Amino acid sequence: MAKKSVGTIQTGTKRLSKAIKMVKSPKTGAYTFVESIMAPDQVNDFLAKK
C-alpha cells in the first residue's frame, strides 16, 4: 500500500509542489520515502511512476 502527500510551496514568482511518495523496496520489503520538489503539473506523473 503506497501513501502519497503533496504540499504547495510558493517562492517569489515560481509555484512549486513538494511530493512525498512511500515506496516498498523489492529487495528488503522495507518502505522508504521518496521526496521531490517540482512544478504542480508534474506531480501526477511523479506519483504514477513505480
Side-chain angles (χ1 to χ4, degrees):
M1 180 171 166
K3 294 194 178 196
K4 305 171 195 172
S5 175
V6 177
T8 303
I9 303 165
Q10 190 165 0
T11 58
T13 58
K14 282 192 172 182
R15 186 175 164 164
L16 302 171
S17 294
K18 179 178 182 179
I20 303 170
K21 179 170 54 169
M22 189 167 74
V23 179
K24 187 173 183 179
S25 171
K27 195 174 195 179
T28 63
Y31 285 95
T32 59
F33 292 94
V34 178
E35 297 182 23
S36 182
I37 296 176
M38 65 198 78
D41 56 345
Q42 298 173 339
V43 172
N44 288 334
D45 293 336
F46 173 74
L47 295 175
K49 283 188 209 171
K50 285 193 170 189

